[in-house]
Amino acid sequence: MRRPFIAANWKMNKTIRETESFLNEFISLVQDAKDVDIVIAPPFTALHTASTLLKNTNIQLSAQDIFYEDKGAYTGEVSPVMLTDIGCKHVIIGHSERRQYFHETDEIINKKIKAAKKHTLGVIFCIGESLQERESGKTFDVLKREIEEGLKDISPDGIVVAYEPIWAIGTGKTATTEQAQDAHKYIRERLASLYGNKANEIRILYGGSVTPDNIDALMACPDVDGALVGGASLKADSFARIVKFKR
Ligand code: 13P
């Protein structure tokens, strides 16, 4: 059995004070949640505060991005060494917003995954098609390319894949359970072609307008092992309900 993995991607939201107030409420709401990995990815500026508050809790810290060099003249970037130093256990890599607004290519994403793994950070590797790609029947082609290029020469340990159809992100338009299961099944087949039986151990998360109202149905899909949650992770009670999904 794959252990469920529920992660919050706060994107560019929450100051230090807002992070403190969220975590003070959230930590107690989920302290009895045992059979699930709970992960929170605040913005870089709130990582230190979150790291301090999350010590000795059942919640793990993630960053939202990483650079692929350990140090040097890369103005504005944050290295894997800095992320482990501040207490991160995971990092989100290849989010569609980074691909779209910051021109991240499969090649850059591949370098970032390698750098994260070199420093034993867990990787939440995001893939997903646009509306136009879906409507023109290219969903599986896009997923295949993102998986094969992104994971080129990379071993599967520490990798969690997040399927986030771009048309479902922040739109309130969740994929149906059939659409999610179809894509997840296809992703697992592609992972199996790279990693054989080990693909059965890789967690595949769904992301895109996940809410307390649709999490239970999504988690009932055989190949959905968790969720990557944006908007609904910004309120403690809403994200706690998602963490405590019912199967
Ligand atoms: P929403 O849950 O706000 O749709 O965002 C999904 C997402 O992009 C998580 O990484």
Side-chain angles (χ1 to χ4, degrees), residues 5 76 78 98 133 141 204 211 220 242:
F5 188 110
V78 176
R98 298 219 53 90
E133 287 162 341
D141 293 343
I204 307 175
T211 66
I242 293 172

Side-chain angles (χ1 to χ4, degrees), residues 9 11 95 97 164 168-171 207-210 228-232:
N9 175 10
K11 309 189 181 185
H95 193 281
E97 288 150 14
E164 300 204 305
I169 296 178
T171 56
S209 299
V210 173
L228 182 55
V229 188

Side-chain angles (χ1 to χ4, degrees), residues 20 47 57 93 102 106 147 162 182 205 227:
E20 280 169 348
L47 283 175
T57 70
I93 298 180
F102 305 100
D106 294 317
I147 291 169
D182 276 1
L205 319 180

Side-chain angles (χ1 to χ4, degrees), residues 2 12 42 110 125 161 180 201:
R2 295 178 292 267
M12 200 174 69
N110 180 261
F125 168 48
V161 178
E201 293 163 27

Side-chain angles (χ1 to χ4, degrees), residues 149-169:
E149 301 293 315
L151 295 179
K152 199 177 209 163
D153 303 322
I154 286 170
S155 66
D157 47 291
I159 303 276
V160 169
V161 178
Y163 169 61
E164 300 204 305
I166 298 167
W167 47 271
I169 296 178

